[in-house]
Amino acid sequence: MAPSQVLRSPNLMAFAAQVREGLSKHGQKELPSIYLYDQIGSALFEVITLLPEYGLTRADERLIQRYAPDILEHLSPSVLVAELGSGTGRKTRWILEALAGREQVTYFPIDISPSALEKCRQELSGLGAVSIVGLEKSYLEGLADVAARRRPGQTLLVLFLGSTIGNFERAAAQYFLHEIRQCLIPGDALLLGTDLEKSIPDLLLAYDDPAGVTRAFNLNLLARINRELGANFVLRNFEHEARYKKRDRRIEMHLRSRCRQTVSIPLADFTCTFQKGETIWTEACHKFRLDEIRHMAQQAGFTCKTQWVDSEWAFAENFCVAENRVPPTA
Ligand code: AVI
């Protein structure tokens, strides 16, 4: 792509600006984790969800499959379902099937990626009583859009699955829940998937699997910068590292420079030097405690009515209902 064309693409400009900002930080260099999920990164993430060491997604799906009827019991008839991040639709199917057994349902997957929305539509297209309306928007813009479409008497069920909330800093996660609540009315519901604290060796294996899929997922971020911003990262000069930060109760993914090296990123108009051993922090995956989630929900104006916990992999599905009062943000 010629530079003049590139300048006309706001997404690419934002990507270039954030790469430049993150890599010019003094101290810890960073890259935003959202950029892990291009077409190749999303495909690699799908493989991660199948790895025996990464039990998170299977736990999420088991809980949804098992408790979909209980979720329904909490919801009055006439439900609109909005999902933040469309995923593959595999887990959502259980909820939609259960709802479709009692009423016509409209499902709004919300995702900035058109290809993710298309995949989700393909996966769920066979469900008779479900209309799928994909919204190519940010989570909160999409949710505000769904809220504006609701008719009187309709209840909104928001799905935020897969512990994506864990990829936010804790304060940002709290703020985000509050923002979700602002789009809802009392009685609306949020189903929130959260990965729980577990043994550190298990966590390290989940994020540094022996088959090297997570390694490829992490390194693809540099490959993406090469592809889209014309950079010259030599992937072999970086190694994947997963660390557990006890104080923050999170896994951090890093890319460690194996040598002193200089990389140029033409479309970000930037050259970056790495020392041997220096890392780029690419993702944070926070782990939660059950009481902490109840507290976060309450601070955001929800009551956590039920928490279902998987018996094989410590993961919780939290069913939260919007309260009458929205507390002010801290
Ligand atoms: C998407 N997200 C919930 C995953 C996680 O576990 O935090 C992303 C991931 N990164 C490496 N493996 C999985």
Side-chain angles (χ1 to χ4, degrees), residues 37 45 48 54 56 162-164 167 207 214 217 253 283 285 287:
Y37 300 90
F45 178 65
I48 290 175
Y54 189 81
L56 189 158
S163 202
T164 302
N167 298 129
Y207 290 90
T214 311
F217 172 68
M253 293 208 315
E283 194 178 45
C285 312
K287 306 301 163 189

Side-chain angles (χ1 to χ4, degrees), residues 62-75 94-99 102 308 319:
R62 267 194 302 274
L63 289 170
I64 293 174
Q65 178 179 8
R66 177 154 181 204
Y67 294 108
D70 302 61
I71 293 167
L72 249 66
E73 262 178 34
H74 287 86
L75 299 169
W94 301 106
I95 293 178
L96 296 178
E97 269 180 355
L99 270 171
R102 74 171 201 194
W308 293 289
F319 185 78

